[in-house]
Amino acid sequence: GAGVSQSPSNKVTEKGKDVELRCDPISGHTALYWYRQSLGQGLEFLIYFQGNSAPDKSGLPSDRFSAERTGGSVSTLTIQRTQQEDSAVYLCATSPRTPYGYTFGSGTRLTVV
Amino acid sequence: QQQVKQSPQSLIVQKGGISIINCAYENTAFDYFPWYQQFPGKGPALLIAIRPDVSEKKEGRFTISFNKSAKQFSLHIMDSQPGDSATYFCAPLVGGATNKLIFGTGTLLAVQP
């Protein structure tokens, strides 16, 4: 597609439920990143994929968070047993091999009630 | 991730005025210095960026000034327009294996007509 597509755009879930957030990258972009944007913490790096592997998972806040990427394309961020502090906008960004062409999606706004 | 300090937190400028946003960093591993612009409900979008071997870069009304010895860089918006009203982030990039962005806390710019 022309841009990075994220779905759903909004998600309201009950505390304790699991959620899956999806990112469809720009075709041909091998690098994929997940960031989280929240009022108290700004924009935080979560995880980086190069192809299907994740050489940097250092930003994942806890073991309730996991992510995968298949076929060097679509990525899914999964949050298990959601907590209220997980409420934030989750942003996906992709770039071609060089790092200078980051393109962000519009994000998924997650609200845990 | 308080390696990047951005100021001011908010800024009000009259139409036609100059908007100046500053960013100070600590990590000498940063090797690419972009500014991102974010409108409500959208992901950040790359506005302008500079490499550390250059002291200034200008693109239209937007200029980055870079002071490597002081570890500071700034965004100048000339002839500010109401359409420039947005949140601006400095987001220096840590090069190497991950190429991840470290975001500043953001500056909310309002340009009054």
Side-chain angles (χ1 to χ4, degrees):
Chain A
V4 178
S5 178
Q6 292 189 245
S7 61
S9 55
N10 282 283
K11 176 73 176 179
V12 180
T13 191
E14 293 181 351
K15 178 181 173 182
K17 300 283 189 182
D18 298 351
V19 295
E20 285 189 352
L21 313 179
R22 177 185 169 107
C23 173
D24 282 273
I26 293 172
S27 178
H29 280 197
T30 58
L32 186 147
Y33 302 78
W34 285 96
Y35 285 80
R36 178 170 72 174
Q37 185 169 25
S38 55
L39 281 175
Q41 299 297 323
L43 271 145
E44 304 171 279
F45 166 82
L46 296 179
I47 188 169
Y48 158 63
F49 286 93
Q50 181 60 248
N52 291 337
S53 65
D56 191 343
K57 306 178 183 179
S58 62
L60 294 178
S62 73
D63 58 8
R64 296 187 295 106
F65 288 73
S66 63
E68 65 175 11
R69 189 178 185 192
T70 55
S73 181
V74 172
S75 176
T76 303
L77 177 68
T78 301
I79 309 173
Q80 296 178 310
R81 305 181 303 281
T82 52
Q83 303 294 314
Q84 286 187 329
E85 62 262 28
D86 300 334
S87 295
V89 176
Y90 290 82
L91 291 159
C92 175
T94 69
S95 75
R97 200 167 207 26
T98 63
Y100 308 120
Y102 262 66
T103 300
F104 281 85
S106 292
T108 294
R109 179 174 296 278
L110 175 67
T111 304
V112 182
V113 297
Chain B
Q1 288 187 341
Q2 286 303 312
Q3 305 179 47
V4 180
K5 295 183 179 179
Q6 185 175 339
S7 62
Q9 191 172 7
S10 63
L11 182 60
I12 299 174
V13 174
Q14 297 297 315
K15 179 182 175 182
I18 301 173
S19 304
I20 302 174
I21 305 171
N22 301 297
C23 192
Y25 63 94
E26 299 169 0
N27 191 342
T28 56
F30 293 140
D31 62 4
Y32 179 64
F33 298 87
W35 285 91
Y36 279 79
Q37 180 188 56
Q38 186 177 29
F39 293 105
K42 301 294 185 183
L46 178 64
L47 184 64
I48 187 172
I50 198 168
R51 305 245 190 139
D53 54 350
V54 177
S55 61
E56 185 174 283
K57 182 176 181 180
K58 183 176 181 179
E59 291 183 356
R61 296 184 295 109
F62 302 94
T63 300
I64 295 181
S65 297
F66 181 73
N67 186 331
K68 187 173 182 178
S69 60
K71 292 190 280 188
Q72 295 177 349
F73 63 111
S74 61
L75 174 68
H76 295 232
I77 305 174
M78 311 300 288
D79 187 27
S80 299
Q81 299 296 310
D84 297 331
S85 298
T87 301
Y88 293 82
F89 295 93
C90 61
L93 183 140
V94 178
T98 304
N99 292 317
K100 63 187 177 187
L101 299 171
I102 305 299
F103 280 82
T105 49
T107 297
L108 180 61
L109 171 65
V111 181
Q112 295 185 335

